[in-house]
Amino acid sequence: FFIQKRTGYMGVAFDCFKFRTMYVNDEADIKQVSINDKRITKLGKFLRVTHLDETPQFFNVILGDMSVVGPRPHMLFHTRYYSERIPYYNLRLEVHPGMTGMAQIKDYIGEISVERELRKRIQWDIYYMKNRSIWLDINVLLSTAGCVIRKISRLFSKKSK
């Protein structure tokens, strides 16, 4: 397991559980993972592409630190950094972070290389917060399942070629 402090509900830090996908390194709490990141293990690459590395976050849901659907929790370093630069960034802290969310199903996932990408994520987080309902949660969960299935099928279709 990999346990990392993340920003949770109302800005309170919590231990976020994941499967370890990278070699132990000194940059884990400050540097985002990038495409072809040398810190990622071979098994870690598969776990990350399929999002299976995040399944231990069900423990966070059981503990009450996270919900299944909501804004993804960010590293403490990124919360401090982006809250100073992105308007309304901290609004996302008014709900429990989720294992999946609107930004993920709209394909705003992974490394943030341009501030505009983060702004879009925040817009989708706020959209979710304003429109929260059981039906929206079901839609997000079904869309997430579809995204994961498509990624896994693409991964295996590449390997069979």
Side-chain angles (χ1 to χ4, degrees):
F1 287 101
F2 174 66
I3 301 171
Q4 183 178 57
K5 292 283 186 196
R6 297 283 176 106
T7 309
Y9 178 64
M10 302 307 286
V12 176
F14 71 98
D15 290 328
C16 186
F17 302 108
K18 293 181 79 168
F19 285 127
R20 180 170 290 286
T21 60
M22 295 196 282
Y23 300 106
V24 175
N25 67 86
D26 294 333
E27 299 175 313
D29 292 325
I30 57 170
K31 183 180 177 189
Q32 288 182 26
V33 177
S34 60
I35 296 172
N36 300 319
D37 197 314
K38 302 294 184 212
R39 299 174 295 166
I40 301 174
T41 65
K42 288 184 187 225
L43 176 61
K45 186 174 182 177
F46 173 79
L47 291 173
R48 284 181 163 276
V49 167
T50 59
H51 299 283
L52 292 173
D53 63 319
E54 296 175 358
T55 53
Q57 290 172 13
F58 278 113
F59 290 121
N60 291 112
V61 173
I62 292 167
L63 292 171
D65 294 322
M66 292 178 69
S67 63
V68 178
V69 179
R72 291 289 298 144
H74 290 168
M75 290 187 279
L76 302 180
F77 172 81
H78 286 132
T79 299
R80 283 190 300 274
Y81 180 83
Y82 292 126
S83 66
E84 295 172 359
R85 288 161 180 76
I86 308 291
Y88 310 111
Y89 178 88
N90 284 336
L91 283 177
R92 61 194 312 281
L93 303 177
E94 294 180 12
V95 297
H96 280 86
M99 292 179 64
T100 187
M102 291 295 299
Q104 285 66 40
I105 66 169
K106 299 297 183 181
D107 211 28
Y108 290 99
I109 57 175
E111 181 183 17
I112 299 168
S113 56
V114 187
E115 189 177 292
R116 181 186 156 284
E117 292 173 14
L118 181 63
R119 289 179 184 271
K120 283 294 199 186
R121 290 181 194 195
I122 303 309
Q123 287 174 350
W124 283 116
D125 290 342
I126 293 170
Y127 173 89
Y128 172 77
M129 293 169 60
K130 286 183 177 179
N131 297 285
R132 248 181 348 172
S133 70
I134 189 70
W135 302 115
L136 183 57
D137 283 1
I138 290 170
N139 181 285
V140 169
L141 288 172
L142 291 174
S143 296
T144 299
C147 289
V148 170
I149 290 167
R150 281 190 299 279
K151 286 182 179 188
I152 290 173
S153 66
R154 274 189 244 132
L155 187 66
F156 285 112
S157 68
K158 285 180 184 178
K159 286 187 178 185
S160 66
K161 290 182 180 179

